[in-house]
Amino acid sequence: MRYLPTRSTWLQTCRRPPPRATCGTCATCGASAGSRGPGAPRPSGPVVPQPATSGVPVDQRLGDSEYHFSWRHDGSKTYTWDGANQYCGNLGSGWQGISIETRQEDSLVREAITEDHLPWIWTSGQLKNHGFAWASGAEFVGLNWSHTGGNHRPQPDNREGDENCLGVLNNVYDDGIKWHDIACHHDKAIICERKVRVHG
Ligand SMILES: [Ca+2]
């Protein structure tokens, strides 16, 4: 016997009234909260879960991101900036070195460093044409640069002449857990980040 959708089935699945006037059709209401212009507040939903990355341990979550602390899973290896960010990319789709975009995210980094007694970590931050930039592409805001460094100058200071990578150092200059521009060949662990939800 062939199954044909009845009128009542069709009505149940598609005749839900649009929740808002901006939402015109069944299809658009199912997929999106409607159009939004630049500067509009972040939507509260609906959200589309991203496919799981199988087998990648997640050490922390915050907002729409999950985080993987390399040192907890690779025998505390350290890497150049390139190697560290490659480690993150090798975890799978969507994984990158961390982009520290908010004060809450910076707190997460400082807590991880404190909890595990790390001397330093890499981030995805790297000097581009017009200043430092994150892998996420989000606007770079220097939330936690140190006020000092090896030459007692505020960071970034490019002390070694090729300090093109952004690391977080744990009180190396008696300055707390702070951002420093560092030559990329130094070896450190890294926090990897992946956005787990994309607003539809
Ligand atoms: Ca520096």
Side-chain angles (χ1 to χ4, degrees):
M1 190 173 84
R2 282 175 63 201
Y3 170 77
L4 291 172
T6 63
R7 177 172 165 75
S8 64
T9 305
W10 186 86
L11 288 175
Q12 281 162 19
T13 56
C14 210
R15 212 184 166 197
R16 237 171 347 130
R20 291 198 174 73
T22 54
C23 233
T25 69
C26 178
T28 55
C29 281
S32 166
S35 63
R36 56 183 187 274
R42 234 173 134 77
S44 58
V47 293
V48 182
Q50 294 300 94
T53 305
S54 60
V56 177
V58 171
D59 297 294
Q60 192 56 273
R61 291 187 170 83
L62 177 69
D64 287 350
S65 286
E66 56 189 20
Y67 303 89
H68 170 99
F69 303 163
S70 71
W71 61 92
R72 291 190 183 178
H73 309 285
D74 66 355
S76 293
K77 289 199 182 89
T78 57
Y79 308 88
T80 65
W81 184 91
D82 278 330
N85 280 273
Q86 193 166 20
Y87 170 96
C88 293
N90 287 346
L91 292 176
S93 175
W95 284 102
Q96 296 178 312
I98 186 172
S99 300
I100 308 175
E101 296 153 355
T102 64
R103 294 199 182 278
Q104 291 86 343
E105 207 166 17
D106 192 57
S107 293
L108 181 153
V109 172
R110 285 185 281 113
E111 283 162 18
I113 288 173
T114 302
E115 195 172 316
D116 289 5
H117 307 286
L118 292 185
W120 40 54
I121 60 153
W122 281 129
T123 69
S124 76
Q126 193 175 38
L127 193 62
K128 301 286 187 186
N129 296 332
H130 304 290
F132 275 86
W134 297 122
S136 70
E139 181 188 3
F140 184 92
V141 181
L143 294 172
N144 193 22
W145 287 118
S146 177
H147 70 284
T148 190
N151 283 351
H152 310 287
R153 290 200 307 245
Q155 303 296 298
D157 66 348
N158 196 23
R159 176 167 67 105
E160 293 185 30
D162 59 351
E163 297 191 329
N164 297 335
C165 291
L166 199 163
V168 184
L169 303 188
N170 185 356
N171 207 29
V172 171
Y173 299 102
D174 201 22
D175 57 348
I177 300 177
K178 292 285 180 179
W179 300 3
H180 289 257
D181 59 335
I182 300 166
C184 308
H185 63 81
H186 290 290
D187 290 326
K188 309 182 191 307
I190 189 167
I191 294 178
C192 307
E193 177 182 4
R194 174 176 176 263
K195 301 278 184 199
V196 289
R197 299 187 301 177
V198 175
H199 292 273

